[in-house]
Amino acid sequence: MERLQKSCLYCKKEVFGRSDKKFCDPQCKSAYQYQQTRAQPERFYNKVDNQLRLNRKLLKDYNKGGKVTVRTSVLKAKGFDARFFTHYWKNGKGDVYLFVYEYGFLRRLEHGVEKYILIQWQDYMN
């Protein structure tokens, strides 16, 4: 049986071994798959997951005291997007806090400045 000349899909070097082999070594296979993944548009799930992770990190970083007030412009400048949250909680006054996992925020307008009140999830909020 005659073997066809095959080349690595990544580096184009000649491939030896099995007839269905596509790469010359594991590094080329990995590099090729990484290249293919980068060429594809980001999936919706990945966009949402990445934004939720960033939002949670920012809320955690800025909420060191349990309840903190931060200008919205500060969080937005770091990439915070209030449209991405995991759940909400309504307090007795009717305020609706949006949460990203255990970190919550409430939008407030104080003296013409938009701010977020940051809180952490508590057991009584169930």
Side-chain angles (χ1 to χ4, degrees), residues 22-35:
K22 297 177 183 178
F23 303 97
C24 59
D25 61 32
Q27 289 79 16
C28 278
K29 181 178 180 180
S30 179
Y32 179 82
Q33 290 172 340
Y34 178 75
Q35 184 182 56

Side-chain angles (χ1 to χ4, degrees), residues 1 3-4 6 15-22:
M1 181 174 173
R3 185 179 180 279
L4 297 173
K6 291 194 83 177
V15 175
F16 298 99
R18 297 186 335 255
S19 61
D20 61 342
K21 193 171 179 182
K22 297 177 183 178

Side-chain angles (χ1 to χ4, degrees), residues 25-111:
D25 61 32
Q27 289 79 16
C28 278
K29 181 178 180 180
S30 179
Y32 179 82
Q33 290 172 340
Y34 178 75
Q35 184 182 56
Q36 295 301 306
T37 302
R38 297 285 299 164
Q40 294 175 359
E42 190 175 21
R43 292 188 346 228
F44 179 73
Y45 167 82
N46 292 347
K47 287 180 184 178
V48 171
D49 189 49
N50 290 338
Q51 188 62 55
L52 285 172
R53 279 194 272 152
L54 176 61
N55 282 0
R56 182 187 179 277
K57 179 190 179 313
L58 292 170
L59 292 173
K60 180 182 179 187
D61 290 349
Y62 280 90
N63 189 357
K64 299 291 186 198
K67 185 176 182 183
V68 179
T69 303
V70 179
R71 289 177 181 248
T72 59
S73 59
V74 172
L75 290 178
K76 285 181 180 179
K78 302 273 186 181
F80 184 81
D81 189 339
R83 298 174 302 167
F84 293 83
F85 58 93
T86 56
H87 60 288
Y88 66 91
W89 172 72
K90 191 174 187 179
N91 69 10
K93 297 177 188 175
D95 297 325
V96 178
Y97 285 84
L98 303 178
F99 277 82
V100 182
Y101 303 105
E102 73 272 35
Y103 297 101
F105 61 98
L106 173 68
R107 190 179 317 215
R108 278 274 189 243
L109 191 61
E110 293 180 1
H111 308 293

